[in-house]
Amino acid sequence: MLDTLTFLLEKLFLLAHIKLSSLLPPLRRREPPLTRRCDRDEAPVQPAGAPHKFRRGDLLEVPRTLFTHFGIYLGDERVAHLIPDILPALTADSRQIQEMVTNARLLLGVLSKRATVRVDSVEDFAYGGGILLNAMDRAVLRSPLSEEEVARRAERLVGSVSYSLLWNNCEHFVTYCRYGTAQSLQTDKFCEWLKSLIRDQRSVVLAALLGLLSMACVGTSFSTALPALLVPFTLWMAG
């Protein structure tokens, strides 16, 4: 039972960090004011093990299969990055906290909305993946702050912080440090897509049909009739 729960939580975490831009339909709305169209995803990736020529304050991205991890280079092969972690809430032992974050620690951090901004080596941060260097500069309209200011902001935030998949993740951390404003481009795209979905009247019809189907399969009762009426009505009014 525990193994099954762990497996499901791992899949949930991966899906929550999925690259929404690769799955969501293209929007015909204007881009958010802080971003512009770019070829950010086509930026060259430095392969794992390649010699690094990073500068203090650089923004590093490590593309994964389903998500991207972000960090700020501090110099001397050190990277500050925000990662979900439950352990700082359970112990003050710095040696245990500084050990590599396991999947269990990470998943419990996501569920408890706890994270830490920690400093690791470039190798540990990349975890075998290639690294994109300052690729977000082509996606954000704001100019980067000075290299030293970026690094100092990251260093000041080292320690325990709150965590949210959508509103305070590793992308918010690096954009605050480098551009002065916390932002997640993937969260912005998801919210825009969600608004377009709500405004699409076909969603009302689909919700109503699903509500009728649930009542036909489960039976008519207060617990099935209320959502079957409330959800389509809410979508209709919101649209």
Side-chain angles (χ1 to χ4, degrees):
M1 183 66 180
L2 182 59
D3 292 340
T4 302
L5 179 59
T6 302
F7 174 79
L8 292 175
L9 287 175
E10 288 177 352
K11 296 304 179 185
L12 176 62
F13 175 75
L14 291 176
L15 290 174
H17 283 75
I18 197 164
K19 287 186 176 180
L20 296 171
S21 58
S22 65
L23 294 183
L24 303 180
L27 299 176
R28 296 183 178 178
R29 299 172 58 82
R30 291 186 301 174
E31 295 289 331
L34 292 179
T35 63
R36 59 170 173 259
R37 295 183 184 275
C38 66
D39 55 354
R40 169 173 170 264
D41 291 336
E42 299 176 2
V45 179
Q46 297 191 26
H52 302 139
K53 295 183 179 179
F54 304 138
R55 299 168 61 93
R56 180 171 164 85
D58 279 344
L59 192 159
L60 309 184
E61 300 181 34
V62 180
R64 303 293 189 188
T65 303
L66 296 175
F67 63 95
T68 299
H69 192 47
F70 299 84
I72 297 293
Y73 186 70
L74 301 179
D76 299 324
E77 294 296 304
R78 298 175 301 124
V79 180
H81 59 120
L82 186 153
I83 186 169
D85 189 5
I86 188 63
L87 195 58
L90 304 178
T91 180
D93 190 334
S94 59
R95 290 179 300 176
Q96 292 186 34
I97 294 174
Q98 193 56 37
E99 292 177 357
M100 184 72 71
V101 178
T102 63
N103 286 337
R105 285 171 58 179
L106 187 146
L107 291 169
L108 290 174
V110 172
L111 294 175
S112 63
K113 296 187 176 182
R114 295 179 180 273
T116 181
V117 175
R118 53 185 286 147
V119 178
D120 287 311
S121 67
V122 172
E123 181 180 1
D124 288 343
F125 165 76
Y127 203 65
I131 298 175
L132 287 170
L133 176 62
N134 296 326
M136 196 175 289
D137 288 355
R138 291 184 284 274
V140 177
L141 287 178
R142 290 180 181 273
S143 299
L145 302 174
S146 68
E147 296 173 349
E148 188 60 28
E149 175 63 19
V150 173
R152 286 180 178 176
R153 281 178 173 236
E155 289 169 339
R156 285 196 295 265
L157 291 175
V158 170
S160 298
V161 296
S162 60
Y163 182 77
S164 170
L165 286 171
L166 292 179
W167 313 121
N168 191 37
N169 55 42
C170 60
E171 193 172 4
H172 290 96
F173 165 69
V174 297
T175 51
Y176 166 76
C177 293
R178 188 164 177 83
Y179 310 109
T181 301
Q183 183 186 16
S184 172
L185 305 185
Q186 294 183 77
T187 296
D188 291 343
K189 289 180 180 180
F190 174 75
C191 291
E192 287 295 318
W193 172 81
L194 188 59
K195 285 192 292 186
S196 67
L197 180 65
I198 292 175
R199 290 172 178 171
D200 191 337
Q201 296 304 307
R202 290 174 295 182
S203 301
V204 179
V205 177
L206 179 60
L209 291 176
L210 290 176
L212 293 174
L213 181 62
S214 66
M215 288 191 294
C217 295
V218 181
T220 303
S221 65
F222 179 79
S223 60
T224 57
L226 182 61
L229 295 174
L230 187 59
V231 173
F233 175 76
T234 302
L235 290 173
W236 173 263
M237 296 303 296

